[in-house]
Structures are given as C-alpha cells and as structure tokens.
Amino acid sequence: MASVTTIASHPTSAFISTPEFSRLSQSLHSSLRQRRCSRKSVCGTISASIDLKPPPYALNALEPHMSKETLEYHWGKHHRGYVNNLNKQIEGTELHEKSLESIILASYNKGDILPAFNNAAQVWNHEFFWESMKPGGGGKPSRELLELIIRDFGSFEALIQEFKLAAATHFGSGWTWLVCKCCVCSTKTHDQTI
Ligand SMILES: [Fe+2]
C-alpha cells in the first residue's frame, strides 16, 4: 500500500439535500467522539464496529476545487452507507473484532472475494481519499517524489495529463491511483490497492 494520491470517479453521482447534510453535520462531533473510544479502545465503551471517519476538514473546505455538495454525497451518503453495510455484514462473524485493513485482507481471501470485501474496501478507499486532500493543498511535489515522477512520466505535467485521462476514460465508477511504483492504474468500483 503506497498510494500517494487518488481521484474519485463516480459518474453516476447525485447530490443529497441540504437538510440531510444538516443532520449529518450534527452527527460529525458524535462520530469524532466515537472514534476515540472504539474497537481496541481503553477509554470505556468498546464498540467492535467500523467507524464513519469524517474528513479532517470542513466539508466546504476544498471549494472551489471540490464542492461541499460533492463531499456531502461521497462522505455523508457513500462512505456512510459502506460503513453501515459493512457493520451489518461482520456482525457476529470472525471479522467482527478485526481492524478495517485486516477485514480487507481477510475478505479478499486470496482473490476469492468474500461478501464483506466490497464494503470494507470502499470504506478504506473513501478514508484514504479524504486524507489525501487538504485545504490549500496540491501543487507540484518536490525532491524525491518529483524525481520519481519525472523518471517515470517525463514531467509532472505529463503525470497530471495521464492521471486525468485515466480517470476520465475509466468506464463506470471506480478510482484512479498513483502508487509509489509511479504508475497510474484504475480499479473497479470497490477494488483498491492494499
Ligand atoms: Fe464515493
């Protein structure tokens, strides 16, 4: 696992309503509290379920590059749905006490995919996606990363062009990844690079 950036490709996306977002926002602080006390926690309540981790910034913080509505949809609806579905799937199973990464690896089952894999992988993908961005972020990388990009793509600009092309021409929903081996690959909806 060594991805350095991602871009979402969800061509069938629609946006949720503002009233729904208000309810989601109210649950944000509650989610943060639960996150501190979940799974292997020593602070009291142990809920052996996967948390819905909020993006590490306000949902409008990436504007104008990514709209608040986009985050409302992909975090508040997509990401939340995958978390809820995964928790239902692992309830009472041997996956129940495992970390998200362990669930992904176990449910991938050496390529013989188990039912929990799709939801677990999409939870990880979305978490990684939020954490790959920040307000005021982006721009040209420096030092070793830039050297690797130039080595494998010719220039930073060429990478951007290839990355956009891979995302825009990927059929259906999915993700486009840049991994440390410095190649661009696209994965189907739930697949990812762990
Ligand atoms: Fe999404």
Side-chain angles (χ1 to χ4, degrees), residues 7-187:
I7 186 169
S9 174
H10 290 277
T12 56
S13 296
F15 297 141
I16 59 173
S17 65
T18 298
E20 184 173 0
F21 171 62
S22 297
R23 289 193 297 276
L24 297 175
S25 294
Q26 287 168 5
S27 72
L28 182 67
H29 294 294
S30 150
S31 295
L32 281 166
R33 282 196 301 275
Q34 288 172 7
R35 199 172 157 187
R36 295 189 195 106
C37 300
S38 63
R39 299 183 77 78
K40 309 258 183 322
S41 172
V42 294
C43 55
T45 306
I46 294 178
S47 81
S49 58
I50 299 298
D51 294 327
L52 173 65
K53 292 183 183 176
Y57 35 76
L59 298 191
N60 64 353
L62 301 180
E63 291 183 339
H65 308 289
M66 186 172 289
S67 70
K68 183 176 78 172
E69 288 76 14
T70 298
L71 271 78
E72 288 173 356
Y73 187 82
H74 287 281
W75 176 70
K77 196 164 185 177
H78 268 185
H79 191 164
R80 180 182 298 272
Y82 293 126
V83 167
N84 291 341
N85 289 336
L86 177 61
N87 283 327
K88 289 177 192 168
Q89 283 179 313
I90 64 176
E91 179 75 37
T93 75
E94 60 186 12
L95 299 176
H96 191 58
E97 299 288 340
K98 291 183 182 294
S99 68
L100 180 60
E101 288 78 8
S102 296
I103 293 171
I104 291 169
L105 293 171
S107 59
Y108 186 71
N109 196 30
K110 297 179 181 175
D112 185 11
I113 306 264
L114 303 179
F117 177 78
N118 292 352
N119 286 307
Q122 283 288 45
V123 171
W124 194 96
N125 288 351
H126 280 79
E127 284 183 4
F128 183 78
F129 185 52
W130 307 133
E131 290 166 10
S132 297
M133 299 179 288
K134 65 179 181 181
K140 197 170 185 175
S142 60
R143 294 184 291 194
E144 187 180 3
L145 177 57
L146 182 59
E147 289 172 12
L148 289 170
I149 289 170
I150 292 171
R151 183 195 72 185
D152 290 350
F153 294 94
S155 67
F156 178 67
E157 291 69 27
L159 162 66
I160 296 300
Q161 191 172 17
E162 188 170 336
F163 198 90
K164 286 180 177 178
L165 183 66
T169 58
H170 181 69
F171 183 76
S173 62
W175 303 82
T176 294
W177 305 82
L178 173 66
V179 299
C180 71
K181 194 179 174 184
C182 282
C183 65
V184 171
C185 64
S186 293
T187 59

